[in-house]
């Protein structure tokens, strides 16, 4: 390994996860032992901190604090939802030049990979020596190329466990219960609702954005579930869409005369409101007969899914840390700019390795839940998904039942 | 200890908790080793199962399953929100007579203590030999006589940890974040939001039902917090009330033309909807200037607070188990009917003991958060509360910060 030239910058971007600081600490540790003579500068609030030259010299953080820092949920350097345009990226490059920065690490989702790509291409075009490495993180698990994303396993563990408990709650006081799960336009996190399900228990219905949402089908599905179980626990993605591919939450917000909030990347705000769950619950109350509609509740799991401390997946934490280290290793070895990706080697026992993916491949678009992970009727999740996801969440609680 | 006469019935009632089955298993274990010749009958769905004679012979449950059963959240026998009237209680008594039941255990809150009291007095009046023991459980922590309630510690642990993570999430992407916490008309569970707070971090504001909620004060509190921290994380009880003691959630539901749902005890439904959080978030968006209102989110923690498996407080689990055992010990010793209560013996190290309280004392009314557990301004929680609550939640995650 060659020593890195000059200084390096690291930033965290987009919605945080429970293990995003594992990747930060992974970079800090590996940078510290890489023999690099320069500084590792933490950019405060993502790319915004670069433009504003708000840096923290990460060598000043006591190494005794690193394990606790890694276990702390949500971006310790602060995050940002800025979408860098050409001028913004030009400013980033100017700051890099002024601060002798030749290595750029950015932890984030596909929008961040795209920002990293733009800065990297701009540097190349201007003949400036810059290596750029994107380190994946997202609870949505929707990045291309990688088998799965750091951050997903812990969020999926939270969701799976939440449904195990909520199913027993619904079993003890029967009725219709609707739980809204994060994940934007992909059903990966909502699918995790089934990971702790025992035969004959809930969730009884699962709706993901990959299948067009039909109100009439939703209502008849609930009636059928009630006939069979006398109750119905339902997992619904925050990003479910109508047959035209328009998010139901967006349609609702517009109907209610609410301002539809978008981030710099044009993404509509889906989380941080109970609107979708309340709408679906009201629908059931209004449209279904008394036996079914007498007890209807909805919960929106919200930001707990990405920020709950103390209940993370060990596999996820280890991989997130490793992804940070891998980024430094790639940089030190003089590898071309890229995104750290995970390849699954075996499922039992679970094993994985990292590889370098192209920034452009990760930046463009997102990855949907494959059709074979969804049942034929489009209202439940298949065993093939569980085979994929179970190794990522760690051991789930063992629960028992009497009735 | 004398052996118990005849058969015994046990039921679970009201909203479940994460450790309510610890108490069930405590009763099962102690009954099994009490030398009682009769059966322990589990009533399916609380008092409803008694009237319907829907019983499970709990001796048929394999003892190897008991530890996992105890760790399973939510009433394993099913629960009920029925309010037994005189006829209903008469029916219970008839079933007891027909099935040679002379001991009645009911796990629940104050409404359940009241049901237990009525049945017990009715038996006494008719000269039927019945011992009745109420075993406390509620995440609301609002029962009289006892120092605290089994179920509270685990819910408080969940809430404290949730706020630790959500605070870092809000720190990384600053804005106004409102989290609605359970607890009905008492602020105990909402107060737990501060238990993992570090100096200078959130929650920055806490609103409990014990202090009349003022919209103008709420808005100016947020402005002051924003001035100081550039962000604001807020804990709000689901049961906050206006100056006339009317629940804000109820007022809202009526304004929105929604049916206000009440259980048999007249309690208004507060949980299972994101309405209150969304209302407060809309208020901030509408009334406060752009710098503050540009990013406003609300989450309603919902049923996860009482049903999340795998993240319980060990102290709480142990006490819930012990409360079940104590009820059998009281019955076996021929003690008068009563409610199992907890007395705190010391705080450091934490130690407690059980004692028998009168059913009537626990049945009547609920216990509010004392005024000295709330700050003078009525928008935060005092250190005195933390001294009370910290021993009940177990060790919280240790988190670190850079910015």
């Amino acid at each position: 390994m060659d020593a890195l030239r000059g200084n390096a910058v690291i930033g965290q971007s987009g919605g945080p996860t429970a293990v995003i600081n594992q990747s930060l600490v992974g970079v800090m540790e590996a940078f510290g032992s890489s023999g690099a003579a320069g500084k590792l500068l933490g950019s405060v609030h993502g790319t915004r901190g670069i433009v504003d030259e708000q840096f923290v010299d990460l060598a000043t953080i006591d190494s005794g604090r690193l394990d606790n820092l890694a276990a702390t949920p949500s971006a310790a350097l602060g995050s940002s939802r800025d979408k860098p345009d050409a001028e913004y990226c030009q400013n980033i490059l100017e700051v890099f030049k002024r601060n002798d920065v030749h290595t750029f690490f950015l932890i984030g989702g596909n929008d961040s990979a795209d920002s990293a790509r733009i800065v990297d291409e701009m540097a190349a075009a201007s003949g400036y020596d810059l290596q750029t490495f994107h380190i994946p993180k997202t609870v949505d698990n929707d990045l291309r190329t990688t088998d799965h994303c750091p951050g997903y396993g812990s969020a999926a563990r939270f969701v799976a466990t939440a449904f195990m408990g909520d199913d027993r709650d619904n079993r003890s006081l029967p009725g219709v219960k609707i739980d809204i799960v994060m994940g934007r336009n992909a059903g990966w996190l909502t699918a995790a609702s089934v990971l702790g399900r025992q035969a004959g228990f809930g969730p009884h219905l699962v709706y993901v954005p990959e299948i067009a949402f039909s109100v009439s089908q939703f209502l008849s599905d609930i009636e059928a579930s009630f006939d069979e179980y006398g109750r119905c626990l339902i997992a619904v993605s925050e990003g479910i869409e109508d047959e035209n591919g328009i998010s139901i939450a967006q349609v609702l917000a517009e109907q209610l005369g609410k301002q539809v909030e978008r981030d710099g990347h044009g993404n509509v705000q889906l989380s941080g409101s109970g609107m979708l769950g309340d709408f679906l619950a009201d629908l059931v109350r209004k449209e279904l007969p008394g036996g079914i509609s007498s007890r209807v509740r909805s919960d929106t799991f919200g930001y707990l899914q990405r920020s709950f401390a103390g209940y993370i997946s060990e596999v996820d934490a280890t991989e997130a840390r490793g992804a940070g280290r891998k980024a430094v290793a790639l940089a030190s070895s003089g590898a071309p700019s890229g995104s750290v990706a995970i390849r699954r080697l075996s499922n039992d026992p679970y094993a994985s390795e990292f590889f370098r993916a192209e920034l452009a491949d990760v930046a463009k678009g997102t990855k949907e839940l494959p059709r074979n992970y969804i049942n034929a009727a489009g209202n439940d999740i298949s065993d093939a998904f569980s085979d994929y996801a179970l190794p990522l969440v760690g051991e789930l609680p063992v629960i028992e039942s009497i009735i």
Side-chain angles (χ1 to χ4, degrees), chain A:
Chain A
M1 266 192 205
D2 296 331
L4 292 166
R5 180 181 160 198
N7 298 313
V9 159
I10 179 164
Q12 296 173 304
S13 197
T17 77
V19 299
I20 187 171
N21 292 324
Q22 294 281 355
S23 295
L24 172 63
V25 169
V27 169
M28 289 165 69
E29 289 171 331
F31 188 88
S33 56
S34 72
K39 287 181 176 174
L40 177 64
L41 301 171
S43 163
V44 176
H45 290 299
T47 47
R48 168 60 47 196
I50 303 174
V51 173
D52 295 346
E53 292 191 61
Q54 271 209 296
F55 294 123
V56 179
D57 179 352
L58 293 176
T60 62
I61 311 279
D62 188 320
S63 63
R65 292 172 57 201
L66 292 187
D67 279 335
N68 286 338
L69 182 64
T72 299
S74 296
L77 289 170
S79 189
S80 153
R81 290 207 178 274
D82 283 3
K83 169 151 183 68
D85 57 14
E87 189 191 342
Y88 196 116
C89 289
Q90 196 57 53
N91 289 338
I92 290 177
L93 200 54
E94 293 306 317
V95 172
F96 283 175
K97 288 176 179 173
R98 209 158 43 236
N99 290 276
D100 193 30
V101 171
H102 293 278
T103 316
F104 176 28
F105 302 107
L106 190 58
I107 307 173
N110 72 304
D111 289 328
S112 306
D114 201 40
S115 302
R117 178 189 64 78
I118 295 169
V119 172
D120 194 64
E121 289 176 358
M122 216 169 245
S126 75
Y128 183 71
D129 177 18
L130 181 73
Q131 280 176 288
T132 302
F133 293 95
H134 169 257
I135 301 163
K137 74 79 222 163
T138 170
V139 299
D140 304 337
N141 201 40
D142 61 353
L143 298 191
R144 293 189 179 193
T145 312
T146 189
D147 177 78
H148 56 278
C149 304
Y152 174 67
S154 296
R157 177 177 177 77
F158 184 89
V159 168
T161 305
F163 271 91
M164 292 174 75
D166 204 33
D167 179 61
R168 300 309 160 121
D169 198 293
N170 180 252
R171 179 79 193 82
S172 73
L173 287 169
V176 175
K177 179 72 194 299
I178 300 162
D179 290 328
I180 309 294
V181 182
M182 274 186 169
R184 300 207 59 83
N185 308 112
W188 296 97
L189 194 54
T190 304
S193 61
V194 307
L195 293 176
R197 179 169 65 186
Q198 296 173 325
F201 286 85
H204 306 97
L205 297 168
V206 184
Y207 298 97
V208 292
E210 287 79 1
I211 305 288
F213 186 77
S214 148
V215 164
S216 60
Q217 187 62 48
F218 174 69
L219 293 171
S220 64
D221 285 351
I222 293 173
E223 286 196 281
S225 170
F226 237 85
D227 283 347
E228 189 167 356
Y229 303 104
R231 64 187 185 100
C232 190
L233 177 65
I234 311 167
V236 178
S237 285
E238 63 178 10
I240 50 167
E241 297 173 353
D242 65 17
E243 68 278 14
N244 302 314
I246 310 293
S247 137
I248 305 285
Q250 183 180 340
V251 172
L252 271 177
E254 283 165 356
Q255 278 175 3
L256 293 170
K258 297 201 186 206
Q259 208 182 326
V260 176
E261 197 176 322
R262 290 173 192 270
D263 68 12
H265 303 272
N267 302 313
V268 173
Q269 180 215 335
L270 294 173
S271 297
S273 157
M275 187 181 57
L276 178 60
D278 287 353
F279 164 76
L280 295 174
D282 282 344
L283 196 67
V284 173
R285 284 190 198 98
K286 213 166 57 185
E287 302 292 340
L288 291 183
I292 299 179
S293 64
S294 61
R295 183 180 166 84
V296 185
R297 304 283 187 270
S298 74
D299 274 330
T300 302
F301 288 172
Y303 288 8
L304 299 183
Q305 297 164 93
R306 71 187 197 192
S307 68
F308 195 79
Y311 194 69
I312 57 157
S313 153
E314 287 302 327
V315 167
D316 187 33
T318 302
E319 288 186 334
R321 187 86 150 243
R325 291 185 180 133
K326 176 69 177 184
V328 177
L330 285 168
S332 300
S333 71
S337 296
S339 175
V340 174
I342 298 173
R343 180 180 295 126
R344 191 182 301 226
L345 297 174
S346 79
N347 231 8
D348 189 19
Y350 173 77
S352 68
E353 66 178 11
F354 297 108
F355 66 101
R356 191 190 68 85
E358 295 301 333
L359 284 172
D361 291 344
V362 178
K364 64 172 183 216
T366 53
K367 187 172 68 181
E368 291 193 340
L369 204 59
R371 188 59 184 85
N372 69 315
Y373 284 3
I374 306 167
N375 73 341
N379 60 10
D380 202 349
I381 299 301
S382 73
D383 289 344
F385 169 79
S386 298
D387 293 343
Y388 163 85
L390 271 172
L392 310 179
V393 300
E395 222 173 296
L396 295 173
V398 178
I399 63 178
E400 277 282 354
S401 54
I402 296 180
I403 60 165

